[in-house]
Amino acid sequence: MKFYKHYKNKPYTYLGVARHSETLEEMALYETRYANDLGKLWVRPKGMFFESVTIDGKTVPRFREIPLEIKAFTKVSAAEFDIVAGLMEKAFGQWDEKWFQGTFKNHTEYYLQLAYVEGQPVAFKLGYKLNEREFYSWLGGVIPEFRGLGIASDLMKAQHEWARTQGYKRLQTKTQNRFRDMLLLNIRSGFNIVGYHSSDEGGAKIVLEKEL
């Protein structure tokens, strides 16, 4: 994840390192995650970005990396259902329990990941066993205020690694053109488009597979 907070507690997205075109000095490039009339993109020397400072006699990082905590479940209880429902409502603007249960009750072996930032649930990824060789990556989402931090990518990598350790040989997922960011993330993560089929859920569904 690329989430940092300044010692004054303002949030930033760390974008990476650039070089000064004349001196070749490494510069940290970062973006505000709050309204700033002076602009969103900022740079400062890399060493300064990652250095510690003394504030009120206490040494602290100038920019503190905020870790992503991922909790994984192979059994989904009512408590996890409630968290997923809240995340789906925030991420997609709705929670349709009847639609969700229509698929959920037809499977028995699940893998759920819940992502937390500073104790707050911010994202999820949920999939289930198709057969002995294939795992289906079903649903996932990141709430709007925490997008752009690489959380969806981190969850995907963790899910794929888990599936590999469980002996699965192939992953399958489906998406739609309206979820363009997820489609592109899947392709960047090694999925190939293998087909599509019609759907009454807002357009044709694109079928993707990845060999593990």
Side-chain angles (χ1 to χ4, degrees):
M1 191 172 67
K2 302 176 287 187
F3 190 37
Y4 283 74
K5 282 190 175 180
H6 189 261
Y7 69 84
K8 294 180 180 178
N9 214 36
K10 294 210 175 207
Y12 294 88
T13 303
Y14 174 69
L15 299 176
V17 174
R19 285 188 182 273
H20 191 292
S21 62
E22 298 297 327
T23 67
L24 300 183
E25 180 183 8
E26 290 187 318
M27 309 291 287
L29 175 65
Y30 54 105
E31 182 179 19
T32 64
R33 298 189 66 84
Y34 58 90
N36 188 324
D37 292 338
L38 296 176
K40 291 187 66 68
L41 292 177
W42 295 80
V43 295
R44 71 170 68 208
K46 177 184 174 183
M48 182 182 291
F49 185 93
F50 288 106
E51 72 180 354
S52 295
V53 294
T54 301
I55 306 297
D56 297 328
K58 183 179 180 181
T59 300
V60 296
R62 182 184 295 277
F63 288 88
R64 174 172 55 96
E65 183 177 8
I66 306 300
L68 180 70
E69 180 185 8
I70 299 176
K71 297 180 181 180
F73 307 84
T74 53
K75 300 294 182 182
V76 185
S77 71
E80 284 82 59
F81 272 129
D82 289 343
I83 295 173
V84 169
L87 290 170
M88 285 193 69
E89 189 167 15
K90 290 179 181 178
F92 305 117
Q94 63 178 352
W95 161 247
D96 186 337
E97 184 173 3
K98 182 178 179 181
W99 172 86
F100 182 90
Q101 292 291 354
T103 296
F104 190 86
K105 68 183 181 182
N106 291 327
H107 302 275
T108 57
E109 296 186 35
Y110 286 89
Y111 186 63
L112 169 66
Q113 299 155 282
L114 296 175
Y116 293 79
V117 175
E118 298 183 310
Q120 175 188 353
V122 300
F124 78 100
K125 195 163 186 66
L126 175 62
Y128 53 79
K129 177 181 178 180
L130 277 177
N131 53 57
E132 294 302 321
R133 290 177 55 84
E134 295 179 300
F135 184 81
Y136 185 73
S137 184
W138 179 30
L139 292 173
V142 182
I143 63 176
E145 56 266 42
F146 284 89
R147 290 172 184 165
L149 293 170
I151 295 175
S153 179
D154 287 346
L155 285 172
M156 183 176 287
K157 289 175 183 176
Q159 183 193 71
H160 295 186
E161 182 57 31
W162 174 86
R164 188 178 291 107
T165 64
Q166 298 303 302
Y168 290 106
K169 304 302 182 184
R170 181 183 298 126
L171 293 165
Q172 186 184 114
T173 192
K174 297 178 183 178
T175 189
Q176 295 171 294
N177 280 321
R178 61 194 176 110
F179 300 124
R180 187 60 55 90
D181 288 344
M182 183 52 66
L183 174 60
L184 294 174
L185 175 59
N186 281 318
I187 292 172
R188 288 196 300 269
S189 299
F191 280 92
N192 293 309
I193 296 174
V194 297
Y196 73 95
H197 62 80
S198 59
S199 169
D200 58 1
E201 298 176 10
K205 286 198 172 181
I206 303 164
V207 183
L208 302 103
E209 291 184 352
K210 175 181 177 178
E211 301 295 328
L212 292 174

